mmCIF file of all heavy atoms in Angstrom:
data_model
loop_
_atom_site.group_PDB
_atom_site.id
_atom_site.type_symbol
_atom_site.label_atom_id
_atom_site.label_comp_id
_atom_site.label_asym_id
_atom_site.label_seq_id
_atom_site.Cartn_x
_atom_site.Cartn_y
_atom_site.Cartn_z
ATOM 1 N N THR A 21 83.099 127.390 92.703
ATOM 2 C CA THR A 21 83.264 126.291 93.664
ATOM 3 C C THR A 21 83.327 124.914 93.014
ATOM 4 O O THR A 21 83.437 123.904 93.702
ATOM 5 C CB THR A 21 82.089 126.292 94.657
ATOM 6 O OG1 THR A 21 80.863 126.183 93.946
ATOM 7 C CG2 THR A 21 82.096 127.572 95.497
ATOM 8 N N LEU A 22 83.215 124.860 91.687
ATOM 9 C CA LEU A 22 83.213 123.557 91.007
ATOM 10 C C LEU A 22 84.631 123.056 90.803
ATOM 11 O O LEU A 22 85.533 123.825 90.471
ATOM 12 C CB LEU A 22 82.492 123.691 89.660
ATOM 13 C CG LEU A 22 81.026 124.105 89.715
ATOM 14 C CD1 LEU A 22 80.481 124.222 88.326
ATOM 15 C CD2 LEU A 22 80.211 123.103 90.523
ATOM 16 N N ARG A 23 84.830 121.752 90.965
ATOM 17 C CA ARG A 23 86.134 121.123 90.725
ATOM 18 C C ARG A 23 85.912 119.735 90.138
ATOM 19 O O ARG A 23 84.813 119.131 90.301
ATOM 20 C CB ARG A 23 86.941 120.998 92.009
ATOM 21 C CG ARG A 23 86.281 120.224 93.122
ATOM 22 C CD ARG A 23 87.312 119.721 94.151
ATOM 23 N NE ARG A 23 87.908 118.469 93.746
ATOM 24 C CZ ARG A 23 88.711 117.711 94.504
ATOM 25 N NH1 ARG A 23 89.022 118.130 95.703
ATOM 26 N NH2 ARG A 23 89.187 116.554 94.061
ATOM 27 N N PRO A 24 86.885 119.190 89.443
ATOM 28 C CA PRO A 24 86.756 117.835 88.952
ATOM 29 C C PRO A 24 86.518 116.843 90.077
ATOM 30 O O PRO A 24 87.072 116.987 91.184
ATOM 31 C CB PRO A 24 88.106 117.579 88.250
ATOM 32 C CG PRO A 24 88.670 118.939 88.007
ATOM 33 C CD PRO A 24 88.198 119.802 89.126
ATOM 34 N N ASP A 25 85.708 115.814 89.804
ATOM 35 C CA ASP A 25 85.452 114.786 90.813
ATOM 36 C C ASP A 25 86.590 113.773 90.742
ATOM 37 O O ASP A 25 86.382 112.583 90.428
ATOM 38 C CB ASP A 25 84.110 114.118 90.567
ATOM 39 C CG ASP A 25 83.699 113.169 91.680
ATOM 40 O OD1 ASP A 25 84.324 113.229 92.750
ATOM 41 O OD2 ASP A 25 82.786 112.355 91.459
ATOM 42 N N ILE A 26 87.771 114.223 91.065
ATOM 43 C CA ILE A 26 88.997 113.430 90.985
ATOM 44 C C ILE A 26 89.616 113.370 92.381
ATOM 45 O O ILE A 26 89.663 114.374 93.100
ATOM 46 C CB ILE A 26 90.019 114.040 90.010
ATOM 47 C CG1 ILE A 26 89.395 114.248 88.616
ATOM 48 C CG2 ILE A 26 91.279 113.220 89.945
ATOM 49 C CD1 ILE A 26 88.975 112.996 87.936
ATOM 50 N N VAL A 27 90.075 112.177 92.749
ATOM 51 C CA VAL A 27 90.808 112.037 94.021
ATOM 52 C C VAL A 27 92.245 112.468 93.788
ATOM 53 O O VAL A 27 93.005 111.815 93.060
ATOM 54 C CB VAL A 27 90.761 110.583 94.521
ATOM 55 C CG1 VAL A 27 91.592 110.431 95.788
ATOM 56 C CG2 VAL A 27 89.310 110.140 94.785
ATOM 57 N N TRP A 28 92.616 113.562 94.397
ATOM 58 C CA TRP A 28 93.950 114.096 94.215
ATOM 59 C C TRP A 28 94.911 113.547 95.289
ATOM 60 O O TRP A 28 94.491 112.923 96.260
ATOM 61 C CB TRP A 28 93.896 115.639 94.289
ATOM 62 C CG TRP A 28 93.303 116.269 93.093
ATOM 63 C CD1 TRP A 28 93.352 115.822 91.810
ATOM 64 C CD2 TRP A 28 92.543 117.493 93.036
ATOM 65 N NE1 TRP A 28 92.684 116.674 90.962
ATOM 66 C CE2 TRP A 28 92.199 117.708 91.670
ATOM 67 C CE3 TRP A 28 92.164 118.433 93.991
ATOM 68 C CZ2 TRP A 28 91.463 118.837 91.271
ATOM 69 C CZ3 TRP A 28 91.432 119.548 93.583
ATOM 70 C CH2 TRP A 28 91.092 119.734 92.223
ATOM 71 N N PHE A 29 96.225 113.799 95.052
ATOM 72 C CA PHE A 29 97.208 113.394 96.054
ATOM 73 C C PHE A 29 96.834 114.011 97.399
ATOM 74 O O PHE A 29 96.514 115.201 97.509
ATOM 75 C CB PHE A 29 98.595 113.898 95.630
ATOM 76 C CG PHE A 29 99.153 113.211 94.418
ATOM 77 C CD1 PHE A 29 99.129 113.843 93.177
ATOM 78 C CD2 PHE A 29 99.691 111.936 94.500
ATOM 79 C CE1 PHE A 29 99.650 113.211 92.046
ATOM 80 C CE2 PHE A 29 100.215 111.313 93.393
ATOM 81 C CZ PHE A 29 100.174 111.945 92.151
ATOM 82 N N GLY A 30 96.888 113.173 98.417
ATOM 83 C CA GLY A 30 96.541 113.628 99.760
ATOM 84 C C GLY A 30 95.107 113.429 100.138
ATOM 85 O O GLY A 30 94.726 113.693 101.281
ATOM 86 N N GLU A 31 94.267 112.988 99.181
ATOM 87 C CA GLU A 31 92.852 112.713 99.452
ATOM 88 C C GLU A 31 92.588 111.215 99.503
ATOM 89 O O GLU A 31 93.302 110.430 98.922
ATOM 90 C CB GLU A 31 91.997 113.388 98.374
ATOM 91 C CG GLU A 31 92.077 114.896 98.352
ATOM 92 C CD GLU A 31 91.195 115.544 97.294
ATOM 93 O OE1 GLU A 31 91.024 114.931 96.204
ATOM 94 O OE2 GLU A 31 90.713 116.642 97.536
ATOM 95 N N MET A 32 91.547 110.837 100.215
ATOM 96 C CA MET A 32 91.188 109.425 100.386
ATOM 97 C C MET A 32 90.423 108.911 99.175
ATOM 98 O O MET A 32 89.408 109.489 98.780
ATOM 99 C CB MET A 32 90.352 109.236 101.646
ATOM 100 C CG MET A 32 89.930 107.796 101.884
ATOM 101 S SD MET A 32 91.350 106.711 102.166
ATOM 102 C CE MET A 32 91.947 107.341 103.740
ATOM 103 N N PRO A 33 90.891 107.809 98.577
ATOM 104 C CA PRO A 33 90.136 107.221 97.463
ATOM 105 C C PRO A 33 88.734 106.826 97.878
ATOM 106 O O PRO A 33 88.447 106.613 99.073
ATOM 107 C CB PRO A 33 90.987 105.978 97.113
ATOM 108 C CG PRO A 33 92.359 106.358 97.527
ATOM 109 C CD PRO A 33 92.179 107.139 98.799
ATOM 110 N N TYR A 34 87.868 106.688 96.921
ATOM 111 C CA TYR A 34 86.458 106.384 97.183
ATOM 112 C C TYR A 34 86.248 104.884 97.558
ATOM 113 O O TYR A 34 86.930 104.027 97.029
ATOM 114 C CB TYR A 34 85.608 106.725 95.961
ATOM 115 C CG TYR A 34 85.559 108.203 95.626
ATOM 116 C CD1 TYR A 34 85.435 108.642 94.304
ATOM 117 C CD2 TYR A 34 85.638 109.174 96.633
ATOM 118 C CE1 TYR A 34 85.361 109.997 94.012
ATOM 119 C CE2 TYR A 34 85.566 110.533 96.330
ATOM 120 C CZ TYR A 34 85.426 110.910 95.015
ATOM 121 O OH TYR A 34 85.375 112.256 94.712
ATOM 122 N N ARG A 35 85.293 104.682 98.404
ATOM 123 C CA ARG A 35 84.701 103.379 98.757
ATOM 124 C C ARG A 35 85.761 102.353 99.208
ATOM 125 O O ARG A 35 85.704 101.168 98.836
ATOM 126 C CB ARG A 35 83.899 102.833 97.567
ATOM 127 C CG ARG A 35 82.694 103.730 97.201
ATOM 128 C CD ARG A 35 81.893 103.154 96.074
ATOM 129 N NE ARG A 35 81.378 101.824 96.402
ATOM 130 C CZ ARG A 35 80.761 101.030 95.493
ATOM 131 N NH1 ARG A 35 80.543 101.457 94.271
ATOM 132 N NH2 ARG A 35 80.327 99.826 95.880
ATOM 133 N N MET A 36 86.693 102.826 100.015
ATOM 134 C CA MET A 36 87.759 101.916 100.456
ATOM 135 C C MET A 36 87.230 100.779 101.306
ATOM 136 O O MET A 36 87.729 99.654 101.222
ATOM 137 C CB MET A 36 88.815 102.703 101.219
ATOM 138 C CG MET A 36 89.616 103.665 100.324
ATOM 139 S SD MET A 36 90.444 102.815 98.960
ATOM 140 C CE MET A 36 91.537 101.739 99.846
ATOM 141 N N ASP A 37 86.219 101.014 102.125
ATOM 142 C CA ASP A 37 85.657 99.920 102.945
ATOM 143 C C ASP A 37 85.096 98.807 102.070
ATOM 144 O O ASP A 37 85.303 97.618 102.327
ATOM 145 C CB ASP A 37 84.567 100.461 103.883
ATOM 146 C CG ASP A 37 85.119 101.298 105.017
ATOM 147 O OD1 ASP A 37 86.358 101.236 105.259
ATOM 148 O OD2 ASP A 37 84.336 102.016 105.685
ATOM 149 N N ASP A 38 84.370 99.191 101.007
ATOM 150 C CA ASP A 38 83.803 98.195 100.075
ATOM 151 C C ASP A 38 84.920 97.427 99.386
ATOM 152 O O ASP A 38 84.819 96.206 99.175
ATOM 153 C CB ASP A 38 82.929 98.899 99.028
ATOM 154 C CG ASP A 38 81.653 99.490 99.620
ATOM 155 O OD1 ASP A 38 81.238 99.021 100.694
ATOM 156 O OD2 ASP A 38 81.137 100.441 99.027
ATOM 157 N N ILE A 39 85.970 98.127 99.015
ATOM 158 C CA ILE A 39 87.089 97.474 98.342
ATOM 159 C C ILE A 39 87.774 96.463 99.239
ATOM 160 O O ILE A 39 87.995 95.302 98.838
ATOM 161 C CB ILE A 39 88.101 98.513 97.815
ATOM 162 C CG1 ILE A 39 87.475 99.396 96.717
ATOM 163 C CG2 ILE A 39 89.352 97.818 97.293
ATOM 164 C CD1 ILE A 39 88.331 100.562 96.284
ATOM 165 N N TYR A 40 88.062 96.845 100.463
ATOM 166 C CA TYR A 40 88.764 95.926 101.374
ATOM 167 C C TYR A 40 87.866 94.756 101.771
ATOM 168 O O TYR A 40 88.355 93.643 101.933
ATOM 169 C CB TYR A 40 89.270 96.678 102.596
ATOM 170 C CG TYR A 40 90.563 97.412 102.347
ATOM 171 C CD1 TYR A 40 90.641 98.783 102.462
ATOM 172 C CD2 TYR A 40 91.704 96.730 101.943
ATOM 173 C CE1 TYR A 40 91.800 99.466 102.220
ATOM 174 C CE2 TYR A 40 92.893 97.412 101.679
ATOM 175 C CZ TYR A 40 92.933 98.766 101.821
ATOM 176 O OH TYR A 40 94.123 99.440 101.570
ATOM 177 N N ASP A 41 86.577 94.980 101.874
ATOM 178 C CA ASP A 41 85.649 93.863 102.149
ATOM 179 C C ASP A 41 85.715 92.852 101.007
ATOM 180 O O ASP A 41 85.751 91.629 101.272
ATOM 181 C CB ASP A 41 84.247 94.365 102.294
ATOM 182 C CG ASP A 41 83.982 95.063 103.643
ATOM 183 O OD1 ASP A 41 84.847 94.936 104.543
ATOM 184 O OD2 ASP A 41 82.945 95.752 103.769
ATOM 185 N N ALA A 42 85.741 93.332 99.768
ATOM 186 C CA ALA A 42 85.813 92.425 98.618
ATOM 187 C C ALA A 42 87.142 91.713 98.560
ATOM 188 O O ALA A 42 87.204 90.519 98.243
ATOM 189 C CB ALA A 42 85.527 93.202 97.343
ATOM 190 N N LEU A 43 88.214 92.422 98.841
ATOM 191 C CA LEU A 43 89.547 91.803 98.853
ATOM 192 C C LEU A 43 89.656 90.707 99.866
ATOM 193 O O LEU A 43 90.260 89.669 99.644
ATOM 194 C CB LEU A 43 90.624 92.861 99.085
ATOM 195 C CG LEU A 43 90.882 93.881 97.954
ATOM 196 C CD1 LEU A 43 91.773 95.019 98.467
ATOM 197 C CD2 LEU A 43 91.511 93.219 96.767
ATOM 198 N N SER A 44 89.043 90.932 101.029
ATOM 199 C CA SER A 44 89.103 89.941 102.116
ATOM 200 C C SER A 44 88.337 88.676 101.761
ATOM 201 O O SER A 44 88.660 87.592 102.302
ATOM 202 C CB SER A 44 88.542 90.555 103.412
ATOM 203 O OG SER A 44 89.308 91.662 103.841
ATOM 204 N N ALA A 45 87.370 88.791 100.879
ATOM 205 C CA ALA A 45 86.508 87.656 100.560
ATOM 206 C C ALA A 45 86.819 86.998 99.222
ATOM 207 O O ALA A 45 86.194 86.027 98.864
ATOM 208 C CB ALA A 45 85.035 88.106 100.571
ATOM 209 N N CYS A 46 87.762 87.574 98.478
ATOM 210 C CA CYS A 46 87.994 87.060 97.110
ATOM 211 C C CYS A 46 88.918 85.843 97.103
ATOM 212 O O CYS A 46 89.771 85.656 97.985
ATOM 213 C CB CYS A 46 88.548 88.154 96.190
ATOM 214 S SG CYS A 46 90.298 88.574 96.442
ATOM 215 N N ASP A 47 88.711 84.982 96.089
ATOM 216 C CA ASP A 47 89.551 83.808 95.882
ATOM 217 C C ASP A 47 90.591 84.075 94.808
ATOM 218 O O ASP A 47 91.593 83.375 94.721
ATOM 219 C CB ASP A 47 88.675 82.614 95.431
ATOM 220 C CG ASP A 47 87.552 82.336 96.396
ATOM 221 O OD1 ASP A 47 87.865 81.996 97.563
ATOM 222 O OD2 ASP A 47 86.385 82.488 96.009
ATOM 223 N N LEU A 48 90.325 85.103 93.985
ATOM 224 C CA LEU A 48 91.235 85.479 92.887
ATOM 225 C C LEU A 48 91.343 86.976 92.822
ATOM 226 O O LEU A 48 90.331 87.673 92.758
ATOM 227 C CB LEU A 48 90.733 84.932 91.546
ATOM 228 C CG LEU A 48 91.521 85.339 90.318
ATOM 229 C CD1 LEU A 48 92.944 84.782 90.346
ATOM 230 C CD2 LEU A 48 90.788 84.885 89.033
ATOM 231 N N PHE A 49 92.571 87.474 92.843
ATOM 232 C CA PHE A 49 92.841 88.893 92.668
ATOM 233 C C PHE A 49 93.640 89.063 91.390
ATOM 234 O O PHE A 49 94.675 88.426 91.209
ATOM 235 C CB PHE A 49 93.619 89.475 93.851
ATOM 236 C CG PHE A 49 94.049 90.911 93.639
ATOM 237 C CD1 PHE A 49 93.096 91.915 93.718
ATOM 238 C CD2 PHE A 49 95.376 91.243 93.355
ATOM 239 C CE1 PHE A 49 93.462 93.260 93.507
ATOM 240 C CE2 PHE A 49 95.743 92.571 93.156
ATOM 241 C CZ PHE A 49 94.795 93.564 93.223
ATOM 242 N N VAL A 50 93.162 89.937 90.501
ATOM 243 C CA VAL A 50 93.797 90.139 89.209
ATOM 244 C C VAL A 50 94.142 91.618 89.066
ATOM 245 O O VAL A 50 93.294 92.492 89.222
ATOM 246 C CB VAL A 50 92.898 89.713 88.056
ATOM 247 C CG1 VAL A 50 93.611 89.873 86.716
ATOM 248 C CG2 VAL A 50 92.379 88.303 88.225
#
């Protein structure tokens, strides 16, 4: 039952809410 902890095609990337919150509040995106 073990698999790599990798987000594969068709799966949702990790911590998207945290990422979008940071993007909404950032002054610089690099």
